[in-house]
Amino acid sequence: MAIREIVHIDEELCDGCGKCVPDCVEGALQLVNGKAKLVKEIYCDGLGACLGVCPQGAISIEKREAEEFDEEATRIHMEQKELAQKTSLHETISTSGCPGMASRQLIPSENAGKQPSTSSSSLGHWPVQMGLVSPGAPYFENTELLLTADCAPVAVPDFHSRFLAGRSIAVACPKLDDIAPHLEKLTAILVHGNLKAVKILRMEVPCCSGLTRLAYAALEASGKNVPVEEIIIGIDGKPVQPEQELTALG
């Protein structure tokens, strides 16, 4: 241990945007539970390459007792991180032949949508992640689209019967996903699917409002006049605002 300069992150100011992570060439910063964290003191050289990139001003350099910067350990850490990224990219490319990504339509349970039940599934197609669905899939034709945050099905106990029944679905996270390809794909779904309506189901946390902005941006880009509705869910699984009638995009 030694008294030296090292990164300090003010968790109250940090909003988890992650802009500081790629600017740390030693890989000392990571997002953990929605906040930037110094993963190991030995990876931080204290030079402050990450300073100035934080829009909230949550990062500073402080002088305190900390483990010495270990250049060799940092080199190994970065090599392992690079290998993990390459492996992840390879797996992503290889999924083009993965049976789990095959587009398929499903037959929902006969009881789906009639009453809340843990044994009735209302899922009508696969896959469901925005990054995996095909814009030209038949299950997007002449239907209502449920555009849902990935946390919503976990929070809402009667998600299938209340929101999913009779609708196609696309799942996305506006905070963690790359929104640009989502915008392109959602626009294509609107153009080719002739959707009857879009229901947006998102959580009450501020970052989740990006899902609504995504939907409206895609509607504008598509040139379609499609009814849209936003339902905001609290972390207790209950709507934080009354459900309203669908209103067409103006």
Side-chain angles (χ1 to χ4, degrees), residues 148-203:
T148 180
D150 53 6
C151 296
V154 180
V156 180
D158 55 348
F159 173 80
H160 277 248
S161 61
R162 186 173 183 180
F163 296 112
L164 182 56
R167 298 185 176 95
S168 59
I169 184 173
V171 181
C173 177
K175 183 176 180 65
L176 301 180
D177 294 353
D178 185 353
I179 294 301
H182 284 358
L183 175 58
E184 182 178 350
K185 182 167 290 188
L186 183 54
T187 301
I189 291 173
L190 286 160
V191 169
H192 300 295
N194 193 29
L195 294 179
K196 296 178 181 178
V198 176
K199 183 186 287 286
I200 304 161
L201 188 67
R202 72 171 183 88
M203 302 301 295

Side-chain angles (χ1 to χ4, degrees), residues 5 17 23 27 30 34 40 67 76 90-91 93 95 101 103 116 154 188 194 230 237 239 241 243:
E5 292 185 334
C17 70
D23 280 74
Q30 291 182 15
K40 274 192 177 182
E67 292 182 88
I76 295 173
H90 173 72
E91 290 174 349
I93 295 173
T95 52
M101 283 185 61
S103 179
V154 180
N194 193 29
E230 178 191 56
Q241 64 183 25
E243 295 182 33

Side-chain angles (χ1 to χ4, degrees), residues 20-246:
C20 59
V21 175
D23 280 74
C24 179
V25 296
E26 291 81 18
L29 301 179
Q30 291 182 15
L31 286 181
V32 180
N33 297 325
K35 298 285 185 179
K37 299 283 186 182
L38 178 62
V39 291
K40 274 192 177 182
E41 293 179 344
I42 60 173
Y43 298 153
C44 178
D45 59 9
L47 297 180
C50 54
L51 293 179
V53 299
C54 177
Q56 304 299 324
I59 302 178
S60 61
I61 297 294
E62 65 177 359
K63 197 168 187 177
R64 63 174 175 82
E65 187 177 50
E67 292 182 88
E68 290 278 14
F69 171 64
D70 190 325
E71 187 173 353
E72 178 62 17
T74 301
R75 182 187 64 78
I76 295 173
H77 167 63
M78 290 305 296
E79 287 178 352
Q80 292 175 339
K81 188 176 181 179
E82 184 177 356
L83 177 61
Q85 289 173 340
K86 288 181 178 179
T87 301
S88 176
L89 177 60
H90 173 72
E91 290 174 349
T92 300
I93 295 173
S94 299
T95 52
S96 58
C98 173
M101 283 185 61
S103 179
R104 67 190 77 173
Q105 287 186 270
L106 308 175
I107 301 176
S109 165
E110 292 182 1
N111 295 323
K114 295 181 180 179
Q115 60 182 1
S117 172
T118 56
S119 60
S120 297
S121 173
S122 297
L123 184 63
H125 64 84
W126 184 266
V128 298
Q129 288 287 342
M130 180 66 80
L132 301 179
V133 298
S134 172
Y139 47 76
F140 286 130
E141 295 178 3
N142 300 305
T143 186
E144 290 187 13
L145 172 65
L146 177 65
L147 178 60
T148 180
D150 53 6
C151 296
V154 180
V156 180
D158 55 348
F159 173 80
H160 277 248
S161 61
R162 186 173 183 180
F163 296 112
L164 182 56
R167 298 185 176 95
S168 59
I169 184 173
V171 181
C173 177
K175 183 176 180 65
L176 301 180
D177 294 353
D178 185 353
I179 294 301
H182 284 358
L183 175 58
E184 182 178 350
K185 182 167 290 188
L186 183 54
T187 301
I189 291 173
L190 286 160
V191 169
H192 300 295
N194 193 29
L195 294 179
K196 296 178 181 178
V198 176
K199 183 186 287 286
I200 304 161
L201 188 67
R202 72 171 183 88
M203 302 301 295
E204 64 178 325
V205 293
C207 60
C208 210
S209 63
L211 198 64
T212 304
R213 293 193 294 273
L214 168 65
Y216 275 95
L219 281 165
E220 183 176 2
S222 71
K224 297 288 185 176
N225 187 25
V226 178
V228 60
E229 178 187 17
E230 178 191 56
I231 298 176
I232 302 175
I233 300 295
I235 58 175
D236 60 356
K238 299 176 182 178
V240 298
Q241 64 183 25
E243 295 182 33
Q244 301 175 348
E245 293 295 323
L246 298 178

